[in-house]
Amino acid sequence: MSEQVNEQELVAYIAERTKVDSKKVQLVLKHEQTFINNAQADKKGEVDIDSDELVDYILAKRDVGLNELQVEEILDLEMEYLMDKGLAGYVD
């Protein structure tokens, strides 16, 4: 995660809205970061992340213990938080 992101604030933001334990939120974000770090860049040096593959990857981790909707909601709220802070956006 970027140094510009206050991880505690992000986790609290997500946990408050999802009612998911903050430890579980941190775990989902950790697995997400691992997935992104292992993604292969294309010839332009860009990494395309398929959200369905990301969710499947996270759900396959035994320590997560959440359902698909919870994981998707956590990831959606993370993106919402990052966009609100001006740190992320969607690419067409």
Side-chain angles (χ1 to χ4, degrees):
M1 232 173 262
S2 169
E3 285 74 61
Q4 297 176 339
V5 175
N6 180 332
E7 187 174 355
Q8 289 179 327
E9 184 180 290
L10 171 61
V11 170
Y13 175 89
I14 295 169
E16 178 182 319
R17 285 159 179 75
T18 61
K19 305 301 184 222
V20 171
D21 181 71
S22 61
K23 297 283 186 207
K24 294 282 188 185
V25 171
Q26 288 175 316
L27 199 53
V28 168
L29 298 178
K30 181 188 90 156
H31 288 311
E32 174 195 27
Q33 193 62 49
T34 300
F35 182 88
I36 291 169
N37 290 343
N38 292 330
Q40 299 296 318
D42 63 16
K43 292 177 183 175
K44 297 178 185 176
E46 297 175 356
V47 177
D48 184 29
I49 302 296
D50 181 287
S51 61
D52 291 332
E53 288 178 14
L54 173 58
V55 170
D56 289 344
Y57 173 84
I58 293 168
L59 289 172
K61 301 300 179 189
R62 292 180 178 255
D63 57 351
V64 172
L66 298 172
N67 66 44
E68 184 175 354
L69 291 176
Q70 290 170 309
V71 171
E72 288 176 351
E73 185 177 21
I74 289 168
L75 297 175
D76 288 345
L77 284 167
E78 177 195 25
M79 189 61 160
E80 180 181 299
Y81 174 89
L82 294 173
M83 288 180 8
D84 286 350
K85 298 289 184 183
L87 300 171
Y90 289 103
V91 177
D92 293 333

